[in-house]
Amino acid sequence: MLFQRLTSVANNAYAEEDWHIMASAFGIASFLLQRSIGIDRNAGRLAREIMRLFNTGLRDVNKIATLAADRERLMG
């Protein structure tokens, strides 16, 4: 899974459902930013932000994606 490779975190660090939530949020955030998931040079930074938001307790895919995309826009 691309999202997991971008984060460099062990597969067993999260449950499969957790990975699915984060990967879905990553896909939505990439779409909101109009970026290609496979070739975006800042994909790792976006993935780490999604993971950070998930680790704060957020589980709503759309909320995570929107917050991550907003943050990424600020980072430029």
Side-chain angles (χ1 to χ4, degrees):
M1 181 180 262
L2 174 64
F3 180 80
Q4 289 171 302
R5 287 193 313 251
L6 289 170
T7 63
S8 301
V9 174
N11 288 344
N12 62 355
Y14 293 95
E16 185 175 335
E17 181 180 338
D18 296 342
W19 282 116
H20 181 70
I21 291 169
M22 290 185 282
S24 296
F26 179 76
I28 294 168
S30 294
F31 175 79
L32 293 172
L33 294 165
Q34 298 180 1
R35 295 183 180 172
S36 174
I37 292 174
I39 60 172
D40 178 28
R41 63 185 171 96
N42 294 316
R45 182 173 67 196
L46 179 61
R48 289 186 298 275
E49 179 61 15
I50 286 168
M51 186 171 279
R52 186 191 71 77
L53 291 165
F54 182 87
N55 287 337
T56 67
L58 289 174
R59 295 299 181 266
D60 182 282
V61 172
N62 292 314
K63 180 82 170 175
I64 294 170
T66 300
L67 290 171
D70 288 348
R71 171 97 179 192
E72 187 62 22
R73 283 186 193 102
L74 291 174
M75 299 299 288

